[in-house]
Amino acid sequence: MRITVFGAAGAVGGRVVAEALARGHEVTAVVRDPARFPLLPAAAHARAGDASDVADVAEFSAGQDLVISATRPAPGHEADLVTTAEALLAGVARTGVRLLLVGGAAGLTVPGAGGLTVVETPDFPPSWRPIALACNAQLEVCRAEPGVDWAYLSPPALLEPGERTGRYRLGGDELLVDAGGRSAISMEDLAVALLDEAERPRHRRARFTVAY
């Protein structure tokens, strides 16, 4: 496949690029600052561009099979998630290319919590609310777009660098929790799940989640 990754030098985006290349796909790795090109694998096609610029999204999605966005805003700029989602959707609408978005977990319902979402639970850290609410708004922007083939991946509660096991469970709108009460996955296995979805789409215009 020909895959464009926005946020390609980030913690998640870098692992998505590596996973895609390992599977033999042709990857266009897009970062905002060319100074970050040395962080990208030599096998990737490094490009400078901005996921919040509709023209850039259209340019770097033209002729591709898929766009993956794994961008993350700087603290204090959480609202950029929404404007970036709008630009990504508008850009791929011009080219007809499928979009996979890495989002947030805050809008997932918590098992046994009476329908509360993660961000609504009493012990949710107040300092995380801005990014959590921005992620919820990001998903709503996707749901309001009628003409784009998109999927939105919500990670579990804990997403950290770790080991690639190739194993994970799939879910929908509910937080996945293991028998020990833990909701987690490595960034490496999140990338595995994204590429599995890229190669064998199971979620069309829908949110899904993964965890161990």
Side-chain angles (χ1 to χ4, degrees):
M1 297 177 70
R2 296 182 302 276
I3 301 173
T4 293
V5 180
F6 284 94
V12 172
R15 287 163 172 83
V16 171
V17 170
E19 180 69 23
L21 290 171
R23 297 186 186 207
H25 299 303
E26 182 180 337
V27 178
T28 298
V30 184
V31 295
R32 282 188 293 183
D33 186 354
R36 305 196 80 188
F37 283 175
L39 300 176
L40 301 171
H45 304 300
R47 299 290 187 271
D50 191 340
S52 65
D53 185 307
V54 177
D56 280 359
V57 176
E59 176 183 351
F60 294 122
S61 65
Q64 302 294 86
D65 298 304
L66 177 71
V67 170
I68 297 175
S69 178
T71 65
R72 205 70 171 167
H77 296 270
E78 289 82 6
D80 289 355
L81 275 181
V82 177
T83 54
T84 298
E86 291 170 342
L88 285 161
L89 290 161
V92 298
R94 294 182 183 180
T95 57
V97 175
R98 187 171 191 234
L99 173 66
L100 292 185
L101 268 169
V102 180
L108 295 169
T109 56
V110 179
L116 291 179
T117 63
V118 172
V119 70
E120 294 168 339
T121 55
D123 56 348
F124 190 81
S127 62
W128 294 359
R129 284 186 63 81
I131 189 67
L133 296 177
C135 286
N136 286 352
Q138 178 191 41
L139 176 58
E140 291 310 310
V141 165
C142 293
R143 287 173 167 163
E145 168 53 60
V148 170
D149 182 7
W150 60 267
Y152 183 100
L153 174 56
S154 285
L158 185 62
L159 177 65
E160 293 182 327
E163 180 186 356
R164 183 195 188 281
T165 70
R167 303 191 313 272
Y168 61 87
R169 291 182 295 146
L170 273 174
D173 291 318
E174 184 174 272
L175 187 74
L176 291 176
V177 180
D178 67 16
R182 190 167 184 263
S183 174
I185 199 168
S186 70
M187 291 180 179
E188 287 77 4
D189 281 333
L190 187 88
V192 171
L194 267 175
L195 267 296
D196 286 350
E197 175 67 24
E199 294 171 348
R200 298 180 296 280
R202 299 175 62 176
H203 305 91
R204 300 283 190 180
R205 297 183 51 77
R207 187 241 303 270
F208 68 107
T209 188
V210 295
Y212 294 132

